[in-house]
Every structure is written in structure tokens, then in C-alpha cells.
Amino acid sequence: MHHPQSRPLRATKSPALSGRVRVPGDKSISHRSLMFGGLAAGETRITGLLEGEDVLRTGEAMRAMGALIERRGGEWLVTGTGNGALLEPREPLDFGNAGTGVRLTMGLVGSYDMTTRFVGDASLSKRPMGRVLEPLKEMGLQVVSAEPGDRLPITLRGPRHAAPITYRVPMPSAQVKSAVLLAALNTPGVTTVIEPVPTRDHTEKMLAGFGAALEVETDAEGVRHIRIEGQPRLVGQTIAVPGDPSSAAFPLVAALIVPGSDLVIENMLMNPTRTGLVATLLEMGADITILERRNEGGEDVADLHVRSSDLKGVTVPAERAPSMIDEYPVLAVAAAFSEGETRMEGLEELRVKESDRLSAVANGLKINGVDCVEGEASLSVTGRPGGKGLGGGTVETHLDHRIAMSFLVMGLAAEKPVTIDDQAMIATSFPDFTGLMQGLGAQFG
Ligand code: S3P
């Protein structure tokens, strides 16, 4: 689909990439920093915040509910309302393209006796919200109106007194887990979330840091039981947001597939719920050295030294999917330059991301000459080391930033250029992507 205002971009075979880079702050932690800071009593100071459109929308939503948020120098200062004291927003909250923003905020307001309307762009308006509304309804939320299939625009009305629940999350989703935990903040008593498959744990770690009484127990089967005491006093914190591994994935894979490349990516978050891509690339034979592993503000971070490598296809097990869920598009690009077949399994959640990422990736690969097979919840890619014969296609990005960036990376190493139909959405998560990549030697235009 070509909109009149679309801005296509072309990536062409580039010389070796080299240099040192810092990618923008982690998107998951950035959303939560503004939300929890906007809720806590007193001041939260944030450095390294991702200033992408998605996160700025969350900031706007928190402002609309009473938080004071300002950028001063390189820092963001947030003065929160105090837990339990959010105000009813006067206007609909517009989350643009941001699934995390909208789903977590639905949880946050879901236990408030107020009416909130949620809207978003064409991509967000296609995504299922029922997964967060179901548990919130058990806590007392009313869905005043919604489009068919629990799609946006949606108007919610919270209960006078919310009820604590025990909820087993039916799909591996940190957003669903987080929505219930955030609703619990304004609910008396203990709310329990049972998580059979572990997903990113930023909500748990950060809420504990802001002062919530929260305990996590992992049973013999590896199932996590998260208990949170309702109505805690949350107090403002100082937060340094580490580099986003989901953004680092693009220069990382680019350096692996563009011959002769040698790159250092600094200050990347190494939380084990987020590093599945690095584990997979190492299995494929990637030359990645993890340097200066350190703990900053409760999270592991490291610098990654990466050099171009001859990659080999592997099977990526389904269990690894939650720790690299946003990285499959760019892994598929790495696979297109690898020897043999790479098989990725357990991909059902990719169908409900900013686009149907499984079909968007498969179509983008095919149109650029890559052999691949799209299954219901799997993808097999047969690579061509050196990228011979690859490229030449225009990829439909379907308002999906990660599809856009993944195929631009492909164009840097393919024999023929790769064009994307629209670069606009890149600003949601990685505003200076093209500038940063050009600084390393990437050729766009
Ligand atoms: C996120 C959770 C994941 C991920 C998204 C960010 C979060 O979504 O894809 O980009 O910050 O909680 P799901 O919860 O739908 O898996």
C-alpha cells in the first residue's frame, strides 16, 4: 500500500562498516520510566530516555493524567501525581503506533473510577486489545465501547473499588503481565500474575525499585508467580536507561553481513529476557565479543565488539522466542546471508505485532530473491552467503518500524539495492537510524 505521503528509502551495497556507536535507550524501559515516574510521588530523573514517537506518546498520556514532565538539558524530569491519584484525562489518549504504551496504560487506568478513551494509528487500530481487557474486566473494568474484535478506539470505565485477582497469562506477553500488575497498583489486597513462559521483566524490577512490595517465585516447572501488594507508596527514582538491544540488533546484524566490518556497540542492555538474538547469532558462528559487562542501575549492560562473519543456519527453538520476539525480522535477514537453512519456531505472536510480521518478513525476503517458507508459526530461510543475486525488490513495511530497518540492513549487503516503501515509522523507536548507520558507512538514498 503506497500512501501519497510515504517516504521510500533505498539501501545499497556498502563498504565495510566501522566505528563505535551507542543506540538509543531501551523502549520498554523508557515507556515504564515515564509511566512509573508520572505515577510516583516526588521527582524522577531519567537519562538516556528513548525520544522516539512511541515513548513521547506515553509521556503525553501521563501529562494528560496529571504528571509534570519536562526535558531539561539531557535529562527528563518527571513529577508524579502520587500512586492512586491519576486524573481523568479530558481528551482521548492517542498512542500512535505504540502497543506497549496503550496496553500498559489500559492496565494503569483500569482500576480507576474514571473514563478513558484510547485511540491509535492504522496499525495499532488493527491490534487485539482483548488480551489485556479480559483480566482487567475480572478486576472490575467496564468496556464502554470498542470496535469489533476489541480493537481501538476503545473507551474504558474503571470500577469504584477494584478487586484483586490471580491471573495466569495465556500467551507469552510482557504487555499483558504488565497491564495486570499496573492495575494492581490501585487495587487493595494482593494481585497474583502467573507466568508460565518468562517474558521481559522490566515492570517487576522497576516497580520494586519505585517501592512496590512485589515478590517473584519460580516453581519447579519454571513457572513464575508474581505477587504484588496493592496501593503501595511509590517514590520517584533516578533512572539511567541502557541501550536498546532491539535497536542494537540492526547495526549488529549489518556488521555481521557486510564484509570487513568491525564495530563496537556501547552500553547495550544485557537483561537475559532480552538477549536471545545474541545467543542465536553466536550459535550461527557470529564473531561477537561481549566486553565490559557491568551492572548499572540494577540492569546488566555491556559493550559488544562485532566483526563480519561467515554465518551458518541453525534451528532457533520456540522457547527462545520471548527473549528475542522483536528481533526475528532482522534475524531472518542474517539468515538470508547464512550457509544452509535457518529454522525459526514458535512465532505465533509475530502475527499480532505492529504488522503481521511473519508474512511481512516472508514477503520482503521473497521479493528480494530469498528462498523461504512461511508456516503458521514458523519461518525457514535458506541463505546465500555473500548475498549473490539478492535484492532488487521493494518491501511493503505496513507501518512497521522493524520491518523497515531490517530490510534496509539487508540492502547494505545484498548484490542489488533493497527499497522500503516508507521510512516514516522508524521514528517510533530509532529516530536517527539512518544517520547513525551512515556514520558507520552505510549507503542509503
Ligand atoms: C514489550 C513487550 C513485547 C514486545 C514489545 C515491547 C514490552 O510485546 O514485542 O515490543 O515493553 O512489554 P508482547 O507483550 O505483546 O509480547
Side-chain angles (χ1 to χ4, degrees):
M1 193 173 22
H2 282 272
H3 297 287
Q5 71 275 29
S6 293
R7 288 189 295 133
L9 186 64
R10 197 169 70 142
T12 55
K13 201 168 168 56
S14 297
L17 305 178
S18 67
R20 296 181 76 87
V21 280
R22 270 186 177 233
V23 294
D26 187 69
K27 183 147 77 78
S28 294
I29 295 179
S30 294
H31 278 296
R32 288 161 174 82
S33 298
L34 290 178
M35 272 184 196
F36 304 170
L39 189 64
E43 192 171 77
T44 290
R45 308 171 79 94
I46 311 164
T47 51
L49 186 82
L50 165 61
E51 294 173 355
E53 285 170 9
D54 277 12
V55 171
L56 298 178
R57 298 272 183 170
T58 291
E60 283 307 316
M62 293 309 296
R63 273 194 187 122
M65 295 190 287
L68 301 176
I69 301 178
E70 59 172 324
R71 188 182 201 273
R72 208 182 289 160
E75 244 186 1
W76 285 79
L77 302 181
V78 182
T79 307
T81 58
N83 184 31
L86 291 175
L87 302 175
E88 184 170 76
R90 292 205 188 102
E91 305 286 333
L93 303 179
D94 184 351
F95 281 94
N97 194 249
T100 304
V102 77
R103 294 204 178 110
L104 269 58
T105 305
M106 283 181 172
L108 195 59
V109 306
S111 50
Y112 276 74
D113 182 13
M114 64 187 197
T115 300
T116 314
R117 185 166 170 79
F118 295 87
V119 300
D121 74 2
S123 152
L124 193 58
S125 301
K126 283 192 202 141
R127 300 180 66 184
M129 298 297 147
R131 50 177 58 201
V132 293
L133 299 179
E134 284 315 312
L136 297 175
K137 283 193 271 189
E138 287 183 32
M139 299 176 85
L141 178 76
Q142 280 179 49
V143 179
V144 177
S145 69
E147 290 302 305
D150 292 315
R151 306 281 197 294
L152 298 180
I154 289 179
T155 302
L156 301 180
R157 169 100 215 164
R160 185 87 37 91
H161 301 288
I165 57 169
T166 294
Y167 190 70
R168 193 179 176 93
V169 185
M171 69 288 287
S173 167
Q175 292 175 359
V176 175
K177 164 178 66 178
S178 300
V180 178
L181 293 173
L182 296 187
L185 293 175
N186 195 39
T187 301
V190 175
T191 294
T192 305
V193 178
I194 300 171
E195 193 182 38
V197 181
T199 63
R200 67 191 68 197
D201 57 3
H202 308 302
T203 298
E204 299 92 297
K205 284 175 106 167
M206 290 177 69
L207 281 181
F210 274 83
L214 180 147
E215 52 180 62
V216 184
E217 206 184 294
T218 305
D219 70 18
E221 275 84 55
V223 176
R224 297 173 80 241
H225 298 249
I226 307 157
R227 287 184 201 89
I228 182 165
E229 186 95 44
Q231 301 176 315
R233 179 172 154 75
L234 301 178
V235 183
Q237 299 295 307
T238 299
I239 299 170
V241 182
D244 194 331
S246 301
S247 297
F250 302 108
L252 177 61
V253 168
L256 290 172
I257 64 177
V258 175
S261 297
D262 189 328
L263 210 68
V264 175
I265 301 171
E266 296 176 347
N267 195 42
M268 190 186 101
L269 174 67
M270 292 294 286
N271 179 315
T273 65
R274 301 288 302 280
T275 49
L277 176 71
V278 174
T280 303
L281 292 171
L282 288 170
E283 285 177 11
M284 294 170 83
D287 183 348
I288 301 172
T289 313
I290 296 168
L291 306 170
E292 311 269 347
R293 212 183 236 278
R294 56 206 184 263
N295 191 285
E296 273 175 22
E299 286 288 6
D300 278 350
V301 298
D303 301 338
L304 263 51
H305 185 187
V306 48
R307 280 173 278 224
S308 58
S309 307
D310 296 328
L311 301 174
K312 283 182 287 299
V314 294
T315 294
V316 189
E319 309 84 79
R320 200 178 289 158
S323 67
M324 55 177 294
I325 193 66
D326 292 335
E327 283 70 79
Y328 283 101
V330 76
L331 174 65
V333 168
F337 293 84
S338 303
E339 193 189 312
E341 188 184 57
T342 298
R343 186 169 165 78
M344 302 161 228
E345 292 166 351
L347 305 187
E348 45 280 330
E349 282 292 309
L350 290 194
R351 300 235 179 245
V352 291
K353 295 296 176 189
E354 285 83 330
S355 66
D356 174 346
R357 275 192 184 151
L358 194 39
S359 82
V361 168
N363 292 340
L365 291 174
K366 284 179 196 155
I367 208 156
N368 284 293
V370 182
D371 292 332
C372 66
V373 180
E374 175 189 349
E376 200 53 50
S378 66
L379 181 67
S380 293
V381 178
T382 303
R384 290 211 211 159
K388 209 162 163 35
L390 300 186
T394 296
V395 176
E396 289 188 50
T397 52
H398 301 281
L399 296 175
D400 189 328
H401 54 133
R402 299 202 196 280
I403 299 298
M405 290 184 277
S406 297
F407 283 98
L408 288 174
V409 167
M410 180 176 190
L412 304 179
E415 186 184 359
K416 293 170 272 181
V418 174
T419 305
I420 59 165
D421 65 354
D422 191 10
Q423 61 181 293
M425 286 301 132
I426 293 173
T428 62
S429 70
F430 201 154
D432 191 32
F433 172 76
T434 48
L436 180 140
M437 294 299 293
Q438 281 167 330
L440 299 173
Q443 299 195 340
F444 299 123

